[in-house]
Amino acid sequence: MTQPSFTPRVFSGIKPSGGLTLGNYLGAMKRFVEMQESGEYETIYCMVDLHAITVWQDPEELRHNTREMAACFIAAGIDPAKSILFNQSQVAEHAQLGWIFNCVARMGWMGRMTQWKDKAGKNAENASLGLFGYPALMAADILVYHATHVPVGEDQKQHLELTRDIAAKFNNDFKTPFFPITEPVIEGAATRVMSLRDGSKKMSKSDASDMSRINMDDDADTIAKKIRKAKTDPEPLPDNLEGLDDRPEARNLINIYAALADTTPQTVIEEFAGKQFGTFKPALADLAVDRLSPISAEMNRMMLDIPEIDRMLAAGADRAREIATPILEKTYDIVGMVR
Ligand code: TYM
């Protein structure tokens, strides 16, 4: 089936379940800003609150986290005049297309998702049906806008492959090249930011240890302390990247430095070749504070005016609906719903 040409359009989402980490910022949000500024795409970004409730969320905390995340998006450089920013539950078309995709996706596909296996663990019988169907709703988030590009961190790769499978099966079942086969955009030095305590684990908001991550609302002293105490090894830094092959913690800090400084790990390793962590860590802490504290200050300032955040999200949702409604209508038509 030859694909028609689709408008270059970016969609991505972040779950407002708890605060944002440096991993979310470097792996996703900073990239969202870059794609917005490239001028090559229409850009649509979303707080995926319907995804958040696949595991229990305290209602007041969910509301707070959604607004705080919106403030962080803006503070990090998302401009509501250039990008569409909103929360998922305000645009019903996500859930509506999600239902259609529940009927396209196969149980076997969902059961193979590593995030499902990790999150449901041994207690799958007790997990929510929403957690199992999570990737079908994610495909709907993307495809309800006919998005062509999706910037994400490495951990979302499998979900995006499933999005392509769902689009292809729909197109094939109904014999129409209606949905684009979306390109994942997993690029840059920080597609997988690791825990500061264990270089084999992803930095995550759900890690029990707060010292394992940098939160976007950490103050300067906390950021510096966490970097100072980050796990490392006693060796000085090597003069090439291969020298980091068996040193995951060192590799992680070099990647974080490169992403924050908008440079490559290669350049960072050349700059710090032969230096001890006693030299590198303070430089990294200064850089992190320099880049992150203006964001948290602006985020805190914005949180003083909640009605303004809510107005901005409602306006974003209106613009999102303008794109999503005709695509959903056409989908219903293809599937055979009387309208
Ligand atoms: P979520 O909320 O877990 O994470 C949001 C984004 O942050 C990236 N990320 C990381 N990147 C690098 N290093 C890390 N340690 C790290 N931790 C998180 C994630 O890869 C992601 O890009 N299922 C998605 C949300 C979603 C979505 C979508 C994304 C729902 N619908 C449609 C794209 C398109 C999720 O749980 O992300």
Side-chain angles (χ1 to χ4, degrees):
M1 217 176 305
T2 41
Q3 281 273 316
S5 61
F6 292 93
T7 309
R9 191 175 280 151
V10 166
F11 177 92
S12 200
I14 306 189
K15 285 194 303 287
S17 45
L20 278 164
T21 69
L22 183 66
N24 298 128
Y25 173 66
L26 294 178
M29 208 174 266
K30 189 166 179 291
R31 304 276 303 127
F32 299 173
V33 177
E34 287 161 13
M35 292 188 93
Q36 166 190 277
E37 293 305 319
S38 78
E40 292 172 36
Y41 314 91
E42 274 179 38
T43 43
I44 308 176
Y45 300 120
C46 185
M47 272 70 69
V48 288
D49 46 10
L50 297 174
H51 277 110
I53 61 163
T54 54
V55 298
W56 169 252
Q57 301 295 322
D58 175 82
E60 275 317 311
E61 279 176 27
L62 177 61
R63 237 186 304 276
H64 171 84
N65 290 337
T66 303
R67 289 168 172 146
E68 194 174 67
M69 188 171 285
C72 191
F73 265 97
I74 305 286
I78 294 299
D79 177 352
K82 295 183 184 163
S83 294
I84 298 179
L85 179 67
F86 67 105
N87 58 308
Q88 188 187 26
S89 61
Q90 291 208 55
V91 180
E93 282 79 357
H94 289 243
Q96 290 172 294
L97 186 61
W99 179 258
I100 306 266
F101 287 168
N102 280 345
C103 304
V104 172
R106 306 289 94 181
M107 300 270 286
W109 300 0
M110 300 292 171
R112 282 192 285 277
M113 293 293 109
T114 52
Q115 289 217 341
W116 156 253
K117 290 190 222 165
D118 289 351
K119 287 200 174 165
K122 292 196 182 68
N123 204 9
E125 287 289 309
N126 204 30
S128 74
L129 195 51
L131 189 65
F132 189 65
Y134 183 113
L137 179 61
M138 185 162 158
D141 296 338
I142 296 164
L143 295 172
V144 82
Y145 301 102
H146 276 182
T148 54
H149 295 80
V150 184
V152 285
E154 181 72 41
D155 61 345
Q156 296 301 313
K157 191 167 178 224
Q158 198 188 26
H159 284 160
L160 293 186
E161 280 159 11
L162 193 99
T163 298
R164 292 163 66 95
D165 290 342
I166 289 177
K169 185 170 186 325
F170 183 99
N171 290 351
N172 199 46
D173 286 352
F174 295 98
K175 304 197 173 27
T176 167
F178 183 60
F179 286 115
I181 307 299
T182 303
E183 289 298 330
V185 184
I186 304 174
E187 287 171 2
T191 55
R192 192 168 170 80
V193 177
M194 308 309 276
S195 155
L196 299 179
R197 308 299 305 159
D198 176 352
S200 67
K201 269 173 50 188
K202 189 183 76 165
M203 182 182 286
S204 161
K205 47 195 154 198
S206 54
D207 195 309
S209 162
D210 194 54
M211 291 300 284
S212 73
R213 64 181 158 260
I214 291 173
N215 305 302
M216 290 307 284
D217 57 1
D218 280 344
D219 61 29
D221 288 348
T222 309
I223 294 174
K225 183 172 97 192
K226 286 178 175 176
I227 291 176
R228 203 169 56 242
K229 299 214 161 178
K231 186 179 165 202
T232 41
D233 53 51
E235 302 298 319
L237 285 162
D239 60 7
N240 61 66
L241 290 177
E242 290 72 54
L244 293 173
D245 279 351
D246 297 322
R247 300 171 67 185
E249 285 85 11
R251 169 97 221 193
N252 187 39
L253 296 184
I254 295 285
N255 285 348
I256 292 175
Y257 191 105
L260 284 169
D262 289 311
T263 182
T264 59
Q266 180 66 35
T267 311
V268 180
I269 206 80
E270 282 165 15
E271 186 182 338
F272 288 96
K275 300 258 168 55
Q276 297 288 343
F277 283 102
T279 307
F280 178 71
K281 280 179 166 180
L284 176 59
D286 284 350
L287 176 66
V289 169
D290 184 60
R291 296 297 154 97
L292 303 181
S293 46
I295 300 178
S296 66
E298 177 60 7
M299 198 163 119
N300 291 337
R301 192 196 63 75
M302 288 189 65
M303 284 300 280
L304 298 174
D305 191 354
I306 298 287
E308 176 54 25
I309 292 178
D310 290 359
R311 266 195 299 280
M312 186 194 71
L313 291 179
D318 287 344
R319 289 170 60 207
R321 236 177 272 116
E322 275 174 36
I323 305 175
T325 306
I327 292 176
L328 181 74
E329 278 303 319
K330 180 72 184 155
T331 310
Y332 278 160
D333 184 44
I334 291 170
V335 171
M337 307 291 175
V338 174
R339 310 303 295 154

